[in-house]
Amino acid sequence: AALKELDLNFMDCKTMSDASLVSIGRGLANLGQLHLLRLNCVGCKDIGDDGFAAFGAGITKLTEVADVGLKFSKCEGIGDQGLSRFALRLGSMKSLRCLSMIMENNKSISKDGLSQLGAAIADLPQLSDLELDFADSKKIKDQAVKSLTDGIAKVASLKTLRLDFLGTGLS
C-alpha cells in the first residue's frame, strides 16, 4: 500500500537547512499517491529562498495531493524570491483542495512574493479551504495584500478563507 499521509515536524531544528529541504523535495517525487502533507519548519533559521523553492519543485510531483499544510514561521531567510519560485510551482497542483501556509515573522516577504502567490492560487481550480498567515511580516503593505487577494478572488471553489496580517505594515 502506498503512503497517503505524511507529517514532518522539524520545529526549531538547528540542522534543518536548504539542503535538507532539497532532499525532502526530491523524496516527495517518490510519493505520488500522497493525499496529505504537513511540514513544520518553524524557527529553522538556516532555511532560505533556495531551499523553499526546491521544496516547491518537489511538491509538484504530488499529483494527487489534496491537503497541504506548511509552517515556515521565523524562517527569516525566506523572502520574495523564495516565495515567488515556490508559488510558480504551486499553481500546477490542480488536485489541491486545502492549503495552509503559516509564514509569520518572515521579514523579507513583500508585494513581489504575495503577487506570485496570488497568481498561483488563482490557478487552483479545486481549492476550497485556504489559510494564509503572514502576521508580523513588516514589509507587507496594502498593495501586497491587494495583489494577493486579487488572485484569491478568482477561485470560484473557495468556501473557507482565513487570512492573518496582524502586525504587518497594513494601514
Side-chain angles (χ1 to χ4, degrees), residues 60-81:
T60 61
K61 307 287 192 246
L62 302 175
T63 56
E64 295 186 29
V65 74
D67 190 338
V68 172
L70 306 175
K71 294 182 180 181
F72 284 88
S73 297
K74 300 179 188 170
C75 296
E76 295 177 10
I78 299 174
D80 283 334
Q81 184 185 40

Side-chain angles (χ1 to χ4, degrees), residues 9-168:
N9 187 349
F10 298 101
M11 186 173 181
D12 293 324
C13 181
K14 305 280 186 260
T15 58
M16 189 66 163
S17 65
D18 281 349
S20 306
L21 272 185
V22 169
S23 294
I24 291 170
R26 285 187 185 135
L28 291 175
N30 301 319
L31 301 175
Q33 303 281 316
L34 203 65
H35 287 269
L36 180 139
L37 173 65
R38 298 274 182 261
L39 178 60
N40 183 348
C41 290
V42 171
C44 297
K45 306 267 187 226
D46 290 334
I47 292 176
D49 287 335
D50 291 339
F52 195 60
F55 173 73
I59 205 172
T60 61
K61 307 287 192 246
L62 302 175
T63 56
E64 295 186 29
V65 74
D67 190 338
V68 172
L70 306 175
K71 294 182 180 181
F72 284 88
S73 297
K74 300 179 188 170
C75 296
E76 295 177 10
I78 299 174
D80 283 334
Q81 184 185 40
L83 183 58
S84 294
R85 289 166 49 205
F86 175 86
L88 288 171
R89 304 297 187 136
L90 182 68
S92 69
M93 300 179 69
K94 302 303 183 198
S95 63
L96 197 59
R97 295 179 189 278
C98 299
L99 175 63
S100 173
M101 293 180 68
I102 310 300
M103 308 283 290
E104 300 169 307
N105 214 352
N106 288 10
K107 306 210 180 341
S108 299
I109 293 175
S110 65
K111 181 182 177 210
D112 293 341
L114 290 184
S115 294
Q116 283 292 340
L117 184 59
I121 289 169
D123 286 337
L124 300 173
Q126 296 188 50
L127 191 67
S128 62
D129 190 330
L130 177 63
E131 176 182 24
L132 300 174
D133 186 342
F134 289 93
D136 296 317
S137 299
K138 304 292 186 208
K139 283 191 171 183
I140 294 176
K141 309 284 188 226
D142 294 354
Q143 191 56 44
V145 175
K146 182 183 181 330
S147 297
L148 173 66
T149 56
D150 285 349
I152 293 171
K154 295 176 182 170
V155 183
S157 57
L158 202 59
K159 304 267 188 282
T160 305
L161 175 63
R162 289 177 299 282
L163 301 175
D164 188 345
F165 292 99
L166 185 70
T168 60

